[in-house]
Amino acid sequence: MRGLAHAFHAYFEHDDDVAIELALIRIEGLLRRHLKATDIPVIQHAQGDRPGQISQLGALIADMEAGGFEAPWPTVFRFLLADPKEGLNLRNEVLHDLVDRRPPRHRVALVLQAALVVLRSITAHEPLEEGASADTPG
């Protein structure tokens, strides 16, 4: 959460390079944790000669609907973050430094919005702490 807060702070300070990098990293991590919490496997442990693996962003996006995300969010995430043929592919372009200049500010805002979508889904599926109600912050 702290990293995502830093991303929003950087955005409001017009430090878009920092904002988009932090947000992209956090989206993938938050999505992985959420899917794991909904019993969707995101880690394949080593078996015999096969090494263990962790699901990459494309696989996580493919599992979003099973993890409780309503349409069209999986499609939006795929086009925004991970579709090299038809979409913006921002995750790979930014985090793997495949472009000379960072995306325009409105695309940074779209990435931050995507992070909020993941957070909303996580909080919708988290059980309430003992003594808390749905109407009070927990």
Side-chain angles (χ1 to χ4, degrees):
M1 292 300 291
R2 188 172 292 130
L4 195 52
H6 286 298
F8 276 92
H9 179 75
Y11 178 78
F12 290 115
E13 293 293 324
H14 294 270
D15 194 354
D16 293 346
D17 287 347
V18 170
I20 195 166
E21 287 178 14
L22 287 173
L24 286 167
I25 292 166
R26 295 313 187 263
I27 287 171
E28 193 165 348
L30 288 168
L31 187 55
R32 186 173 285 112
R33 280 190 286 280
H34 171 69
L35 293 175
K36 184 178 178 183
T38 58
D39 296 325
I40 296 172
V42 296
I43 298 173
Q44 294 79 39
H45 298 284
Q47 293 181 349
D49 292 341
R50 186 183 62 83
Q53 297 177 340
I54 189 163
S55 296
Q56 299 299 312
L57 183 60
L60 298 174
I61 291 171
D63 287 336
M64 284 177 74
E65 194 170 331
F69 289 86
E70 297 175 0
W73 288 118
T75 302
V76 170
F77 273 62
R78 184 171 47 84
F79 282 132
L80 179 66
L81 303 174
D83 188 338
K85 293 181 182 174
E86 299 177 33
L88 297 176
N89 198 27
L90 289 176
R91 183 229 183 241
N92 290 331
E93 287 185 359
V94 172
L95 295 181
H96 295 296
D97 204 23
L98 299 177
V99 291
D100 291 333
R101 44 189 296 260
R102 293 294 184 217
R105 190 160 171 79
H106 68 277
R107 290 188 181 165
V108 178
L110 288 173
V111 170
L112 290 168
Q113 180 186 22
L116 292 176
V117 168
V118 177
L119 283 176
R120 181 191 67 154
S121 184
I122 288 171
T123 57
H125 290 89
E126 284 182 350
L128 290 174
E129 292 180 20
E130 189 174 321
S133 74
D135 296 329
T136 59

